[in-house]
Amino acid sequence: MESLENYLRELGPIYAALIATLFTWFLTLLGASMVFLFRSMSRAWHDVMLGFTGGVMLAASFWSLLAPSISLAEKEYPGISWMPAAVGFLAGALFIFGLDKLAPHLHINFKENETEGLKTNWHKTTLLILAITLHNIPEGLAVGVLFGAAHNGLDGVTYASAIALAIGIGLQNFPEGFAVAMPLRRQGVSRMKSFGYGQLSAVVEPIAGVIGAAAVITVQPILPYALAFAAGAMIFVVVEEVIPETQRDKNTDVAVLGLIGGFVLMMVLDVAFG
């Protein structure tokens, strides 16, 4: 870990964020490739995987993003240290809310008549991919912002903690890639196209990661807001998308256990390496 941390530090935050988010995308690709090895996936496992994803995102939102935001604000905004975290968190949630209302998309376990966003005649497959793409924007943004924070020397944030976040996001991207590709396969899409669409959903992460890192190192005063912004965006996705998808069948309990497992794993990673 130390050698990797030193290597990424030498590259600088933007290239480090790019490499880290390419790693998270690659694990999505590996997950999507499972469609070549398995013919189907039970709904229970699907819900557990989505629950795991939500748990990782919840834990990362607090330990990797909100806590450092508040810690930084205590020095720069004495007496109102809650303000940047509150403003940034609300802005991040409202940003994804706006995208959710505008971008046509369809969540994985939802019926075609439950399409969200602007009305369109786009194919169901396209709408599914757009839903997961919206999901991945906050994840890439969070990784990039954290590398920028580590570069700026924020107390409690190191390249090791940014790497830990990338590992956590990557680990939940693996089952997510499978969870996207397999439903497409069940709908009659070919294995190759299901794989392609599954990995394509995470291509936005490197873009968001680079933008997040560049923003916080260019305009350093926005750092506490940017950290909270990424947290608000991720929490909105978890509550509006991930959790509801896991609660639409009879697997609610195991889905919650998956969420608990993801939360604990991300918490351990962040505390151990942060």
Side-chain angles (χ1 to χ4, degrees):
M1 172 66 81
E2 185 176 351
S3 59
L4 176 60
E5 183 180 358
N6 291 334
Y7 172 71
L8 292 177
R9 184 182 292 107
E10 291 175 2
L11 286 178
I14 294 178
Y15 284 112
L18 176 61
I19 290 174
T21 47
L22 284 174
F23 164 77
T24 62
W25 162 78
F26 179 70
L27 286 185
T28 306
L29 181 148
L30 287 181
S33 71
M34 294 297 103
V35 76
F36 295 112
L37 302 178
F38 299 93
R39 292 186 176 182
S40 63
M41 177 177 58
S42 72
R43 178 62 183 270
W45 274 112
H46 181 274
D47 290 342
V48 169
M49 289 178 179
L50 284 179
F52 179 84
T53 293
V56 169
M57 295 174 73
L58 283 175
S61 296
F62 177 74
W63 272 279
S64 299
L65 300 168
L66 276 178
S69 171
I70 294 171
S71 176
L72 177 62
E74 287 176 349
K75 296 181 179 180
E76 297 189 6
Y77 301 90
I80 54 169
S81 57
W82 50 267
M83 188 267 292
V87 171
F89 189 88
L90 286 171
L94 290 174
F95 172 71
I96 299 299
F97 172 78
L99 290 180
D100 187 72
K101 292 300 181 183
L102 293 174
H105 62 283
L106 177 67
H107 299 311
I108 293 173
N109 291 328
F110 285 47
K111 299 177 182 178
E112 287 193 56
N113 61 1
E114 295 179 287
T115 299
E116 298 181 9
L118 298 176
K119 298 301 179 182
T120 178
N121 293 323
W122 292 350
H123 193 273
K124 182 178 180 180
T125 300
T126 303
L127 296 174
L128 287 169
I129 300 306
L130 284 173
I132 302 299
T133 300
L134 289 176
H135 176 145
N136 285 320
I137 291 174
E139 297 174 4
L141 186 65
V143 173
V145 167
L146 208 61
F147 272 104
H151 173 77
N152 287 347
L154 174 61
D155 289 344
V157 178
T158 64
Y159 271 81
S161 61
I163 293 170
L165 176 61
I167 292 173
I169 295 295
L171 288 176
Q172 61 95 16
N173 274 3
F174 180 86
E176 182 180 279
F178 190 26
V180 174
M182 189 54 70
L184 294 176
R185 177 59 181 159
R186 285 202 305 267
Q187 293 173 21
V189 180
S190 69
R191 292 184 187 273
M192 183 58 71
K193 285 187 176 180
S194 297
F195 162 73
Y197 289 138
Q199 62 82 29
L200 184 64
S201 63
V203 169
V204 70
E205 288 191 7
I207 300 172
V210 169
I211 291 173
V216 297
I217 65 174
T218 303
V219 190
Q220 293 191 22
I222 72 168
L223 181 51
Y225 298 92
L227 289 165
F229 182 95
M234 287 213 292
I235 292 295
F236 184 92
V237 167
V238 172
V239 176
E240 194 274 339
E241 176 186 340
V242 177
I243 292 178
E245 286 184 28
T246 67
Q247 304 297 302
R248 292 173 65 88
D249 203 44
K250 59 185 178 181
N251 309 305
T252 56
D253 289 344
V254 292
V256 172
L257 291 177
L259 185 145
I260 296 299
F263 187 97
V264 170
L265 176 63
M266 188 64 239
M267 178 181 66
V268 170
L269 284 173
D270 193 85
V271 174
F273 297 107

